Amino acid sequence: MPLGDNLGDKSDSRYCGVETDFNDDMPHVLSHNINGGFDFVVAPLMEPGYRPSLIDNASKDCSVLPFAGSDLVLSPSQWSSHVVGKISSWIDLDSEDDTLREDSEIALKQELAWASHLSLQACLLPTPKGRSCGNYARCVNHILQNLNNMQLWLRIPLEKSDVDDDAVNGVTDGMAVDLSDSWELWNSFRVLCEHHSQLSIALDVLSSLPSPNSLVRWVGEPVKAAILHTDSFLTNARGYPCLSKRHQNLLSSFFYYSIQIVLSGKAVHKLPATNQTDNSAQQAQRHDLRSYLDYVGYLYQKMEPLPEQERFELGYRDFLQSPLQPLMDNLEAQTYETFEKDSVKYIQYQRAVSKALVDRVSDDKASTTTVVLMVVGAGRGPLVRASLQAAEETGRKLKVYAVEKNPNAVVTLHSLVKLEGWENLVTIISCDMRAWDAPEKADILVSELLGSFGDNELSPECLDGAQRFLKPDGISIPSSYTSFIQPVTTSKLYNDVKLHKDLLHFETAYVVKLHRLARLSPSQSVFTFTHPNYSPNKNNQRYKKLRFEMPNDTGSTIIHGFAGYFDAILYKDVHLGIEPTTATPNMFSWFPIFFPLRSPIYVKAGSTLDFHIWRCCGNTKVWYEWCVTSPTSSPIHNSNGRSYWVGL
């Protein structure tokens, strides 16, 4: 039974599981826990005392493996929807004991083969024993090569000890401080398994939690489940289980990122006796962990519902989209319609035009002076409407030229002008702004040519070309824009790019609604463009080297790529942008841009990351190149625009 209804949430985090002990009566295990309120069980598949080496060679061919019942004891849908297989916890594939190691390898293969036969959606692998996991990872990687769609959840304890107070830069009395960081164990294992997309994580949530900064790393990792132990619960004033504030916040983030909760352990709270005696039979049937489940459900139900904007964006989360080619291609009606629904953007533009009109024409000249305003890249007319509304609001007279190269959008523009009765106010020009010969100079030039990275849809080139029909003291809206970038962990996006198995996709910048990612260092500014630009040596090529400092308490991290944003000044104090710290609220016209790395970069705690990015301009195209030079060097991505470019 789902934890509850949360408006807009249809993710897996609504379902809560329970870890059970071995029982060869699987129908009873399942019915007891489902009736107790849980949605699925994490159950051992093999009798825990089984060891392959203890079976006589003579009877090996005719012996039956001690699985928890036949595949026929549950229906196929019950196996696949309500059971996660739990691989035997005694398995140790890196043991120095040859017999144990060989037994472990045989048992692992047998149990996963059985789980695959049952069409289970996932299996829980035991935590690697000790610091070395090479042979364990090798065996799992072999299995992953031929696995069906089943996910393997590697059990990882959520722990990281902080540096001792006497330690400075990780050294005490000349000796290296050995930090216990379970992320390092996970990272070692997944690197050995070649970042396989079917290898994910089940985090063991313990009674004490690492620092908030180190927890952030896990958001970008493929965490599918969080195993919450009953001994992590506190006791409230009424004697019922509850969680600390930090644990509550952690569970809220798990719900937000679609991570399922699994309860584990025995009931450790003695619940207060009830005054009712007639429901003793009902109390006897109540699941031992029901009070813990009820509390998890309570936390889920008290979450704030997803805002309308986030519900709209749900289908776009972590979905890679190629950026638009606005000069080469004509946009479709559906694309225009999506952008036009972004009322926040056009309110900001209207505010900017209003301020520009007031600055351009004083109140005493408002009735006698007509301002010439050109909308370059008018689309289907939203900026024309915003500009005319600004004129009405400020009491200024306006003459509008709407310049649009897409002949299909021009049809809609003509219909709009006729419908609204703007024939005497708006002149439609069906032409590329770079080729148009304007009959008069403009006081104000308005455009919405910005891309997710500010300049990535060729706004600089377009506005430099259109600048010739702006008066020397004319106003450009936007007046400037700056791109920003930051390193991120995003296993989901990295694996999605890797699926293509080619260089081209790793050298393409994608527009994506970022969701499951960890932002590892504050974003830094990259390129700034200002309009109008009257520099005699105009050049839109750019190069920037950035150094990112990794916080020491975050722990070591892995960089899958870089997230890019922009912030634009439309006019004076009216701004528009998607940079996380200054983003315009409730605006959805732009998703961030993602620059992937061909090979993830491992960065130690407290060290620096050096990133280089170039904006290159040719006769027919503009493209970006990027690379990392520290702590290790990556290849220069997209050299000479061989994989990704924007056509002029």
Side-chain angles (χ1 to χ4, degrees):
M1 184 170 65
L3 293 171
D5 290 320
N6 195 309
L7 187 61
D9 184 19
K10 302 296 180 187
S11 69
D12 289 344
S13 61
R14 294 178 296 157
Y15 304 110
C16 186
V18 60
E19 186 176 9
T20 68
D21 293 329
F22 177 80
N23 189 325
D24 57 9
D25 188 354
M26 278 302 295
H28 170 74
V29 171
L30 193 60
S31 64
H32 171 68
N33 289 289
I34 296 294
N35 292 336
F38 291 96
D39 299 292
F40 63 94
V41 297
V42 180
L45 300 176
M46 184 82 82
E47 200 280 318
Y50 166 73
R51 301 291 185 276
S53 59
L54 299 180
I55 299 176
D56 294 336
N57 287 329
S59 60
K60 272 185 179 179
D61 293 337
C62 58
S63 63
V64 177
L65 293 173
F67 290 123
S70 151
D71 53 352
L72 298 176
V73 299
L74 297 177
S75 69
S77 64
Q78 286 177 311
W79 281 116
S80 63
S81 300
H82 298 293
V83 179
V84 171
K86 180 183 173 185
I87 304 304
S88 297
S89 57
W90 60 264
I91 284 177
D92 183 1
L93 285 104
D94 290 280
S95 172
E96 294 183 2
D97 183 321
D98 290 344
T99 302
L100 176 56
R101 187 177 67 251
E102 290 166 8
D103 275 356
S104 298
E105 185 166 344
I106 293 168
L108 178 68
K109 291 177 179 177
Q110 288 173 336
E111 293 183 39
L112 286 174
W114 179 245
S116 184
H117 171 72
L118 297 173
S119 299
L120 301 189
Q121 290 190 26
C123 265
L124 178 65
L125 301 177
T127 306
K129 311 282 196 298
R131 289 197 165 272
S132 173
C133 59
N135 192 49
Y136 188 5
R138 170 185 168 273
C139 293
V140 169
N141 199 30
H142 281 185
I143 293 165
L144 284 166
Q145 306 310 311
N146 300 298
L147 198 61
N148 56 15
N149 294 324
M150 184 168 66
Q151 285 280 325
L152 299 185
W153 298 352
L154 184 65
R155 191 170 194 155
I156 297 290
L158 183 57
E159 58 186 6
K160 176 187 177 295
S161 65
D162 295 321
V163 179
D164 188 81
D165 290 338
D166 296 324
V168 179
N169 295 326
V171 176
T172 304
D173 298 331
M175 299 293 289
V177 176
D178 183 19
L179 296 180
S180 174
D181 186 355
S182 58
W183 181 90
E184 296 279 9
L185 185 61
W186 154 247
N187 187 54
S188 174
F189 198 97
R190 62 101 169 265
V191 168
L192 289 165
C193 291
E194 305 171 284
H195 299 264
H196 201 285
S197 59
Q198 286 170 257
L199 179 66
S200 47
I201 306 166
L203 282 177
D204 255 326
V205 180
L206 309 175
S207 54
S208 63
L209 295 176
S211 70
N213 265 358
S214 70
L215 288 175
V216 167
R217 295 175 299 174
W218 295 103
V219 175
E221 300 291 5
V223 181
K224 298 292 185 184
I227 302 171
L228 185 59
H229 295 258
T230 52
D231 57 11
S232 297
F233 284 79
L234 306 175
T235 306
N236 67 14
R238 296 174 55 222
Y240 285 87
C242 64
L243 288 170
S244 70
K245 198 67 181 174
R246 286 198 65 205
H247 280 83
Q248 291 179 43
N249 293 337
L250 181 63
L251 256 66
S252 294
S253 71
F254 287 155
F255 295 143
Y256 180 71
Y257 291 112
S258 305
I259 296 169
Q260 294 180 305
I261 305 300
V262 176
L263 288 174
S264 176
K266 305 293 183 186
V268 293
H269 289 71
K270 189 173 182 181
L271 300 183
T274 61
N275 295 327
Q276 298 173 334
T277 57
D278 56 347
N279 65 349
S280 57
Q282 183 181 339
Q283 289 292 329
Q285 294 175 358
R286 182 180 167 88
H287 197 289
D288 288 348
L289 301 184
R290 184 65 200 225
S291 57
Y292 301 90
L293 175 62
D294 288 344
Y295 183 76
V296 173
Y298 158 74
L299 293 180
Y300 177 83
Q301 291 167 41
K302 80 169 191 174
M303 284 179 64
E304 290 291 328
L306 287 176
E308 184 179 354
Q309 181 190 348
E310 286 206 40
R311 294 202 300 276
F312 169 77
E313 295 170 350
L314 275 175
Y316 297 99
R317 282 180 174 178
D318 292 332
F319 178 74
L320 298 169
Q321 303 175 70
S322 296
L324 296 174
Q325 292 273 5
L327 293 190
M328 292 177 60
D329 303 331
N330 289 325
L331 300 184
E332 298 173 350
Q334 188 174 2
T335 306
Y336 281 120
E337 186 172 351
T338 301
F339 291 148
E340 288 164 10
K341 286 178 179 176
D342 194 346
S343 59
V344 172
K345 174 175 64 175
Y346 295 112
I347 288 169
Q348 291 297 91
Y349 266 99
Q350 184 176 329
R351 285 183 60 217
V353 174
S354 294
K355 284 176 178 278
L357 287 172
V358 169
D359 285 352
R360 197 74 182 169
V361 179
S362 59
D363 289 344
D364 58 332
K365 294 181 179 179
S367 60
T368 58
T369 304
T370 299
V371 175
V372 177
L373 182 145
M374 294 180 181
V375 178
V376 288
R380 301 197 308 182
L383 283 183
V384 174
R385 184 186 297 278
S387 299
L388 290 171
Q389 286 174 340
E392 185 179 346
E393 178 184 278
T394 57
R396 267 55 177 178
K397 297 173 73 175
L398 202 60
K399 180 180 181 181
V400 177
Y401 288 91
V403 186
E404 175 53 49
K405 74 173 182 63
N406 183 352
N408 303 308
V410 168
V411 173
T412 310
L413 264 177
H414 278 288
S415 299
L416 177 68
V417 168
K418 188 175 180 180
L419 181 68
E420 297 289 348
W422 294 339
E423 288 92 343
N424 296 326
L425 300 173
V426 179
T427 302
I428 298 171
I429 308 296
S430 181
C431 181
D432 189 316
M433 70 183 79
R434 295 170 295 175
W436 181 45
D437 188 12
E440 59 182 317
K441 297 284 187 178
D443 296 285
I444 302 173
L445 192 67
V446 183
S447 65
E448 53 172 331
L449 305 169
L450 297 169
S452 299
F453 202 49
D455 58 81
N456 64 299
E457 292 185 10
L458 306 186
S459 179
E461 285 71 23
C462 292
L463 292 182
D464 285 350
Q467 183 177 300
R468 69 187 185 280
F469 39 77
L470 185 66
K471 291 177 181 177
D473 62 343
I475 297 168
S476 173
I477 298 175
S479 61
S480 69
Y481 39 90
T482 301
S483 51
F484 292 82
I485 208 161
Q486 68 182 154
V488 294
T489 296
T490 171
S491 181
K492 167 74 167 64
L493 296 185
Y494 173 77
N495 276 315
D496 286 352
V497 177
K498 189 162 72 100
L499 278 174
H500 294 281
K501 299 180 179 178
D502 62 18
L503 177 67
L504 183 146
H505 287 82
F506 270 116
E507 295 191 336
T508 297
Y510 298 93
V511 172
V512 58
K513 169 59 181 172
L514 300 172
H515 183 59
R516 284 296 296 270
L517 92 163
R519 295 178 170 90
L520 302 171
S521 184
S523 66
Q524 297 185 30
S525 61
V526 189
F527 308 135
T528 297
F529 292 88
T530 302
H531 301 286
N533 177 12
Y534 292 115
S535 169
N537 302 310
K538 273 187 284 200
N539 184 355
N540 291 327
Q541 296 210 141
R542 297 284 192 277
Y543 163 64
K544 193 72 174 278
K545 176 186 175 183
L546 299 170
R547 172 161 289 182
F548 295 96
E549 305 284 344
M550 298 297 159
N552 200 55
D553 64 340
T554 299
S556 300
T557 56
I558 197 163
I559 313 296
H560 290 113
F562 294 81
Y565 322 96
F566 80 91
D567 189 81
I569 297 173
L570 295 182
Y571 183 69
K572 290 191 171 177
D573 62 343
V574 183
H575 100 107
L576 197 70
I578 60 170
E579 196 280 323
T581 61
T582 60
T584 307
N586 303 315
M587 188 176 67
F588 56 81
S589 283
W590 294 276
F591 293 152
I593 199 164
F594 175 62
F595 294 90
L597 289 174
R598 283 155 61 181
S599 298
I601 301 286
Y602 172 82
V603 184
K604 288 185 177 179
S607 61
T608 58
L609 175 78
D610 288 346
F611 176 70
H612 304 251
I613 186 166
W614 296 260
R615 187 184 197 267
C616 308
C617 302
N619 293 328
T620 59
K621 65 183 183 181
V622 173
W623 69 96
Y624 299 101
E625 299 178 13
W626 63 94
C627 73
V628 171
T629 55
S630 176
T632 57
S633 292
S634 73
I636 294 176
H637 291 59
N638 197 36
S639 180
N640 205 32
R642 63 189 173 195
S643 299
Y644 156 68
W645 44 269
V646 186
L648 286 166

